[in-house]
Amino acid sequence: MTPIDPVALTADLVRCPSITPAEGGALVLLEAVLTKAGFTCTRVDRGGIANLFARWGRQGANRTFGFNGHTDVVPLGDENAWTMPPFGAEIKDGYLYGRGATDMKSGVAAFAAAAVDFVTETPPDGAVILAITGDEEADALDGTTALLDWMKANNEAMSVCLVGEPTSPNEMGEAMKIGRRGSMTAFFTVTGVQGHSAYPHRAKNPMPAMARLMDVLSSHELDQGTDHFDPSSLQVLTIDTGNPATNVTPAQTRATVNIRFNDQHSGASLTAWMQEEADKVAADFGVRVEMRVKISGESFVTPPGDLSDLIASAVEAETGRKPELSTSGGTSDARFVKDHCPVVEFGLVGKTMHQVDERVAVEHVHQLKAIYTHILREYFA
């Protein structure tokens, strides 16, 4: 079988207009490629989201290496600002342009190409699984979680997993991620009594209460960091009152905060702390404070060990760089995989992801396939 060109496969995937939650033909294309190579493929669609599970080898094998990634992409933004067609996959000056070129159709193409070539050339004593979702860039409710739920129900399992998200800030091979911070957002509503600003004793202005609460939350030191994480941070995102009048104190005001937290905290512990502070402010100012919380993911870390050593060794062998063990950045689907098996992330340079004229260095896509192939060879050696 002719080796798969990961750049050509990336281009084919970029030409699929899979703006989340649209499948756009990307998973149909991958299923055809993988089926031809002997993978058993199953569509695991849920909630209108397309997902693909593919396994080469025996179900229940003692050693199963898994890859996870996504083919959905973020919207284009101002399409007129693009200098290259966003779904054209055109190559210029050594870069392949298009939405998803970096995040992360090139990563999916690289691990699919590596997996196909590996099992074709040197069939391993074990199994290789590819779990590919179409719902990473949106709410992620029916993407990787649907795949993992289906795997559990059907006795499918990965021994370890590599998520192919972009991980390097500037140079190929700079960093791999062994964990991620948790992320949560809290929405506050403070309700008082509207009144004339000249007669404050007849009203209960919610604004001072909200200002106090936001100050208390944002000035509090959550921690000083841990062995693997920077200090947690709480950011006030908005305070909205919408009061155009100059002589009326409002009845209600709203605010939103976002917390990125390390493994000293959980979503539940931070929720309890914010609720306690909100209750204090409500009592001090005689207003009502309501809070709604959305937890996008808990903090986690895969302790350095066999999996991270394997990946770091392969990266150094192919790039000459020993990757930093990082936990920076936002959330990824690794936050779901970590409940299934040990998980590490490694992928391309992410400088242009989500930007206009998103692009990937052609050289890096070939290099990434070589790294993934190296990892598979060493894992099954």
Side-chain angles (χ1 to χ4, degrees):
M1 184 174 178
T2 304
I4 293 180
D5 180 349
V7 174
L9 183 54
T10 298
D12 288 341
L13 289 172
V14 168
R15 293 186 188 104
C16 299
S18 54
I19 296 175
T20 191
E23 186 271 331
L27 293 181
V28 172
L29 170 64
L30 287 168
E31 183 174 0
V33 171
L34 294 168
T35 300
K36 183 179 179 180
F39 282 75
T40 300
C41 293
T42 305
R43 283 286 292 271
V44 187
D45 296 3
R46 189 175 80 181
I49 299 297
N51 303 293
L52 178 65
F53 173 88
R55 171 176 42 80
W56 185 96
R58 178 175 55 84
Q59 182 183 23
N62 289 333
R63 293 171 65 77
T64 300
F65 194 95
F67 288 98
N68 171 254
H70 65 92
T71 54
D72 62 317
V73 299
V74 297
L76 302 179
D78 181 4
E79 189 170 356
N80 293 324
W82 286 72
T83 65
M84 304 288 278
F87 296 117
E90 294 185 12
I91 295 175
K92 180 181 179 182
D93 298 329
Y95 287 88
L96 188 154
Y97 284 74
R99 177 59 83 221
T102 296
D103 187 14
M104 60 166 289
K105 290 182 174 179
S106 49
V108 171
F111 69 59
V116 168
D117 289 357
F118 174 67
V119 300
T120 302
E121 295 168 5
T122 53
D125 180 17
V128 178
I129 283 176
L130 278 59
I132 307 169
T133 178
D135 184 34
E136 196 274 346
E137 298 291 7
D139 293 332
L141 298 176
D142 294 300
T144 293
T145 53
L147 284 161
L148 294 171
D149 289 345
W150 180 89
M151 289 170 65
K152 184 177 181 180
N154 289 273
N155 297 315
E156 298 280 3
M158 300 178 287
S159 304
V160 296
C161 183
L162 194 163
V163 177
E165 288 278 4
T167 56
S168 296
N170 298 294
E171 302 292 337
M172 188 67 177
E174 275 184 308
M176 55 191 285
K177 296 190 187 296
I178 60 168
R180 291 276 188 163
R181 296 177 297 175
S183 175
M184 64 188 297
T185 304
F187 306 88
F188 294 93
T189 301
V190 178
T191 303
V193 177
Q194 181 175 314
H196 197 298
S197 59
Y199 303 94
H201 59 286
R202 295 177 179 171
K204 287 186 179 179
N205 189 345
M207 295 296 291
M210 182 65 86
R212 172 74 62 81
L213 179 58
M214 292 299 102
D215 178 59
V216 167
L217 295 182
S218 63
S219 62
H220 178 73
E221 182 182 79
L222 290 167
D223 56 71
Q224 296 184 339
T226 68
D227 289 344
H228 297 294
F229 289 92
D230 291 334
S232 303
S233 69
L234 181 149
Q235 300 298 321
V236 178
L237 305 183
T238 185
I239 300 175
D240 302 302
T241 305
N243 181 15
T246 60
N247 60 352
V248 177
T249 57
Q252 197 171 74
T253 183
R254 294 176 172 83
T256 305
V257 305
N258 180 259
I259 308 178
R260 300 300 170 116
F261 57 95
N262 60 36
D263 52 353
Q264 288 195 32
H265 309 277
S266 67
S269 68
L270 290 167
T271 298
W273 163 65
M274 289 189 290
Q275 187 64 64
E276 181 181 355
E277 297 298 340
D279 291 344
K280 289 178 184 177
V281 167
D284 289 345
F285 287 84
V287 296
R288 186 169 80 252
V289 181
E290 299 169 282
M291 180 180 73
R292 177 173 63 87
V293 171
K294 178 183 178 181
I295 301 173
S296 301
E298 297 286 351
S299 170
F300 76 94
V301 64
T302 299
D306 291 345
L307 180 57
S308 56
D309 289 348
L310 168 67
I311 295 170
S313 175
V315 173
E316 188 171 15
E318 298 294 337
T319 68
R321 292 187 181 90
K322 186 174 182 179
E324 172 193 355
L325 304 183
S326 171
T327 57
S328 64
T331 59
S332 76
D333 279 0
R335 71 189 189 271
F336 306 124
V337 179
K338 62 106 165 77
D339 294 326
H340 176 87
C341 67
V343 59
V344 170
E345 299 176 62
F346 178 78
L348 294 161
V349 175
K351 290 173 70 173
T352 66
M353 57 184 175
H354 294 200
Q355 293 184 3
V356 166
D357 281 345
E358 182 178 350
R359 58 199 177 274
V360 63
V362 168
E363 175 190 5
H364 289 172
V365 181
H366 286 295
Q367 203 169 27
L368 186 60
K369 178 189 174 182
I371 291 168
Y372 289 158
T373 301
H374 193 123
I375 290 168
L376 287 169
R377 286 175 179 159
E378 292 297 320
Y379 181 77
F380 287 106

